[in-house]
Amino acid sequence: QVQLVESGGGLVQPGGSLRLSCAASGSIFSINAMGWYRQAPGKERELVAIITSGGSTNYADSVKGRFIISRDNAKNTVYLQMNSLNAEDTAVYYCNMNVASTWSYRANYWGQGTQVTVSP
């Protein structure tokens, strides 16, 4: 049915930048909210940023002013521009989308996760 594929993770030095992307594929009618979450070892998964279909955004306090979430509806893609990265940002990042498709009226889908490591 619907698949979310992430890309853009990797190793970066403190102060560096990365841009994550997540593209949905399948028989999609529409996508409502799109978001990014992250999970560090031994910690719970936490919300990083979310963007609604109308473009309204919300960010975790820890990333405000550094991260920017955006979306391209024509490509069914959500992006996360991450700037001024620090060690605290090290985690596996997951995208999430609320999707209406031929298989389900409304369902949440997760990407496979992409590792972001910030280290000297």
Side-chain angles (χ1 to χ4, degrees):
Q1 37 184 308
V2 177
Q3 289 185 313
L4 273 56
V5 179
E6 303 179 27
S7 63
L11 176 65
V12 64
Q13 295 182 343
S17 298
L18 285 174
R19 187 178 189 239
L20 306 182
S21 64
C22 175
S25 62
S27 300
I28 299 171
F29 290 135
S30 64
I31 303 177
N32 296 314
M34 299 180 177
W36 288 95
Y37 296 74
R38 67 186 181 187
Q39 187 169 22
K43 297 183 178 180
E44 295 183 351
R45 187 172 299 184
E46 64 175 352
L47 174 68
V48 176
I50 191 168
I51 183 169
T52 69
S53 60
S56 178
T57 60
N58 187 40
Y59 297 91
D61 290 338
S62 60
V63 306
K64 286 182 178 178
R66 299 189 298 120
F67 291 10
I68 300 174
I69 187 172
S70 61
R71 62 191 288 167
D72 186 334
N73 292 327
K75 297 181 178 180
N76 293 327
T77 300
V78 62
Y79 304 93
L80 185 67
Q81 178 65 46
M82 304 184 293
N83 302 313
S84 301
L85 288 163
N86 55 61
E88 188 179 340
D89 298 315
T90 296
V92 177
Y93 285 71
Y94 299 89
C95 61
N96 177 273
M97 299 186 189
N98 185 263
V99 181
S101 68
T102 57
W103 295 98
S104 179
Y105 175 64
R106 293 176 62 181
N108 290 315
Y109 295 88
W110 291 92
Q112 81 280 8
T114 184
Q115 177 71 49
V116 173
T117 302
V118 185
S119 179

